Amino acid sequence: MSQTETTMTADNDLQDIVADSDTGGRVPHDTFSINALWYIPLVWSLFQLWIASPLPFLLRFGVLNDTQTRSIHLAFAVLLAFLAFPGLKSSPRHRIPRATWITAAIGAAAASYLYYAYTGVANRTGAPNSTDLVMAGIGIVTLMEAARRSLGFPLMGVALFFLGYVFFGSSDMLPDVVRWKGASFQKAMSHMWLTTEGVFGVALGVSSGFVFLFVLFGALLNQAGAGNYFLKLAFATLGHLRGGPAKAAVIASAATGLISGSSIANVVTTGTFTIPLMKKVGFSATKAGAIEVSSSINGVLTPPVMGAVAFLMTEYVGISYVEVVKTAIVPAAISYIALVYIVHLEALKMGMTGTSKMHPVKFMLGAIFIIASCIVIAGGTLFLTGQLVDAVEAAFGGAATGILVAGLMLIYVLAVRFAASGPDLEMSSDSLQHLPPTKEIFKTGVHYLLPILLLMYLLMIERKSPALSAFWSTSFMLLILLTQNPLKNYFRKLGNIAGALDQGLREIGEGLVTGARNMIGLAAAMGVAGIIVGAVTLTGVGQVMAEFVEFLSGGNLLAMLFFVALISIILGMGLPTTANYIVVSSLMAGVVVELGAQSGLIVPLVAVHMFVFYFGIMADVTPPVGLASFAAAAISKGDPLKTGFQAFFYSIRTAALPFLFIFNTDLLLINVGPVQAVFVFLVAMVAMLLFAAGTMGWFMTRSRLWESVALILVAFTLFRPGFFLDQIAPEFEAREASAIFQMAEDLGDDASIRVRLAGENLNGDPVDAKYLLPLGPKGAAGADRLLNGAGLELRNEDGKLFIDNLEFAGVAEQLGLDFDWEVIELDVKTERVRKEVFYLPALALLALIYLAQTRRRKHPEALEEVA
């Protein structure tokens, strides 16, 4: 086989990987099927844009309630899953069998049942008729088959396991600890399909409400050329450095991962270009693939989208989107910086050179300066834009909106004119080796930054809903696709404006279709995840998981967290990001809350959800499933298992972070002011770099064993200085429960109060644990702050305080609190020295290691002795 044929075969294999995991592997040849797989996704995208826009309410036409919207959304997904994804490896790829058309139509009819039969089903709540049950049964089966086709067996297998537990949980074959009374077909189908407790619950609501729009936004952005732009920009900036292609791969994956919901798509999109170049400069196939995997996985953990998990987390945790972003930003940023540093250390260990031999310290300081500058510039731009918008609205009143839109359009036209002053970027990978200067590349796509900034402005400054923010940003992207080429032709005096407009319309159509086809598996996953969530709420299996983990850990706190992490990885294997988060949070978040409270570990709920989410995502790296590792290995021609293990080694810093921020929530910027946030970021970044140096065995030069251990110890001290202080002086002291109302009234804004509660859970088992209850805004009475913040009301009986009422879906209810639990005592922080004092001995030890290694670098013979 010739080199050309080999390359073509590899490219086809990669296309198959992307198609099988995202858009569908069926490529029919007949006109009817081709049109069906074009127009059905197109209509789906237009439908989602319609319901997200203000038009239905302005025109008083096409207004649907949430349940009906979810039903139509799922119907499109099920229909396209059967049409676009072959059922078996032996199934035809170039035609759609007649039986598949029939099955797809039946599945879509069952999925849309709550749309056209909504009134009747609502009137029969709790007493479904035969038609309801038949449609529910068909819907469950076809939905799981749609998920199997589009995502593989793992998610369907998990759903089947939970459905089996729903129906056969009363079997004598099960041990007493997991046995329950079981459910009839009527009860199960009613719960899973005919209410919003199962398939049509929160997960599918988030999918139909705004996840689709964010996926569509990313598809349109890539269609416009932004993906190629970010890739070339990263290579132009870093490609000349030691190990430059690998560093560029990290940055490019970060840029594409910000708006991507799929780690596999991220690997294939950037890895196709970056992995061959990494191999060319000296990285092995295994390490090149592993670097790309680690970079792509981190993209899913990075705000603003986090693979759509950011929006699910707002629903499950009950906090604002801005709070989720603030919580996730520091761990994601320092993890990416550390990965760049790991790549640099690998290049040093392998003796690589670049056209620019920059000193390691100078390189990291420069990287930190660039990243900090980007954050400051982006934040400053958003802040100043907010101030400008306020000023315009104050000056012009109702006319302000038109003026602001006109201003944005003017900025866009000027940005395109700036881009048109140079040639467009080539799309081929060969051009990565002969790139123009960074500033020349930057100007070619500066207009791509505008819709991203608009999205962040609407979410962060205006605090608009995710759906509305995504709608306007997507609308802006549609405008860019339509007009960027005509405007460039005009400014370059090339003419042919009509031809450029026609090209823009075709690109809009491609983007809308691609966005919808990217959502097929994701929407199906949301629906199947609803089956799992419904099974958890129906059976109470969450309590069983808590007892199981408690048994494994023997009550030890660190062992409990380790087993939760391990089970989260197992549960997340083979699942897409959003379904992954839904499953691990539904099953494991409550375990951490309950068992942690019994051990005195009290952390905000968002920290717990971040903990299980991080480990669920690690499943994409970890063998034997590790889908992202398999995708990277297909490009690098390396061994998938070796690639997975190497990627896991590079990702140890990511696996360590959840344990650190569980014990030090400052890393999540919880109750941290702006100045302290900067300090926390800088200290955490230094700690993560030292942790990377310790695990890689290289700091200023190759490290001795004691130096690696000492570096990890220094990193641990910087991450969690309170650990050593807690051994000397306790952090909290007990106060009487009667002081709770006065204390709640006196504490400042965004404060929380630590309480010890005792009572019985739903199973009648005794509970004696500590909980962290958030308080409402300052200025209200203590009882009101408890109600507004934690959703909790207390009553006084003979001098004792008991829980009298719990707000539905409030924080207290989510924490597992129940009626009539007694408030035993309060925990109040003690007066003691600041924990940061332990930074001093840590930095002194670091200075000792630095001096020892610097001296050894000047004497190569010492280095040879170590080697």
Side-chain angles (χ1 to χ4, degrees), residues 283-361:
F283 286 96
S284 66
T286 296
K287 288 184 177 179
I291 289 169
E292 180 60 46
V293 171
S294 299
S295 307
S296 300
I297 291 298
N298 259 59
V300 178
L301 301 172
T302 306
V305 178
M306 297 165 63
V309 167
F311 309 109
L312 280 167
M313 206 171 283
T314 63
E315 300 290 332
Y316 286 170
V317 181
I319 60 177
S320 68
Y321 169 79
V322 174
E323 287 295 313
V324 173
V325 169
K326 187 179 79 170
T327 298
I329 188 66
V330 168
I334 63 175
S335 192
Y336 258 123
I337 292 171
L339 184 56
V340 174
Y341 186 51
I342 286 172
V343 168
H344 184 73
L345 294 177
E346 282 283 20
L348 285 173
K349 290 167 71 174
M350 289 187 283
M352 291 183 183
T353 59
T355 57
S356 173
K357 295 183 180 179
M358 191 178 294
H359 190 276
V361 175

Side-chain angles (χ1 to χ4, degrees), residues 323 325-331 664-673 676-678 680-681:
E323 287 295 313
V325 169
K326 187 179 79 170
T327 298
I329 188 66
V330 168
N664 181 12
T665 55
D666 286 354
L667 293 172
L668 300 179
L669 302 184
I670 295 174
N671 297 327
V672 169
Q676 188 183 357
V678 174
V680 167
F681 171 72

Side-chain angles (χ1 to χ4, degrees), residues 462-509:
E462 290 288 335
R463 303 290 181 96
K464 300 293 186 185
S465 69
L468 197 59
S469 301
F471 169 75
W472 289 117
S473 302
T474 302
S475 299
F476 192 11
M477 274 309 310
L478 292 172
L479 177 68
I480 289 175
L481 277 166
L482 179 65
T483 61
Q484 64 172 348
N485 289 324
L487 285 173
K488 285 180 180 180
N489 282 9
Y490 173 76
F491 290 127
R492 291 168 178 165
K493 303 185 185 307
L494 297 177
N496 194 25
I497 305 298
L501 277 172
D502 183 61
Q503 178 187 349
L505 287 171
R506 289 198 304 272
E507 289 180 345
I508 287 175

Side-chain angles (χ1 to χ4, degrees), residues 138-289:
I138 293 173
I140 290 286
V141 172
T142 53
L143 171 60
M144 288 200 294
E145 170 60 13
R148 186 197 65 80
R149 285 171 175 250
S150 56
L151 301 167
F153 182 77
L155 183 59
M156 177 188 175
V158 173
L160 283 172
F161 174 82
F162 279 93
L163 278 178
Y165 184 64
V166 166
F167 290 118
F168 307 110
S170 59
S171 171
D172 293 335
M173 297 176 64
L174 295 176
D176 292 340
V177 70
V178 297
R179 194 179 305 161
W180 82 296
K181 63 180 180 180
S184 64
F185 181 80
Q186 176 178 324
K187 183 176 181 180
M189 291 302 101
S190 180
H191 187 82
M192 297 289 184
W193 196 264
L194 303 175
T195 70
T196 55
E197 294 293 324
V199 171
F200 297 98
V202 171
L204 196 63
V206 171
S207 177
S208 64
F210 38 83
V211 170
F212 187 103
L213 294 177
F214 278 92
V215 172
L216 181 60
F217 176 74
L220 294 173
L221 198 59
N222 192 61
Q223 184 71 39
N228 182 56
Y229 170 69
F230 290 137
L231 181 66
K232 299 291 174 65
L233 191 61
F235 267 85
T237 306
L238 300 174
H240 62 285
L241 299 175
R242 193 192 306 262
K247 293 169 183 173
V250 175
I251 302 302
S253 295
T256 56
L258 292 178
I259 54 175
S260 170
S262 169
S263 57
I264 299 170
N266 199 1
V267 165
V268 175
T269 300
T270 58
T272 304
F273 304 108
T274 61
I275 290 176
L277 288 175
M278 281 190 269
K279 291 173 65 178
K280 189 172 184 178
V281 298
F283 286 96
S284 66
T286 296
K287 288 184 177 179

Side-chain angles (χ1 to χ4, degrees), residues 102-122:
I102 296 172
T103 309
I106 293 173
S112 59
Y113 183 66
L114 289 186
Y115 164 69
Y116 58 82
Y118 178 78
T119 303
V121 172

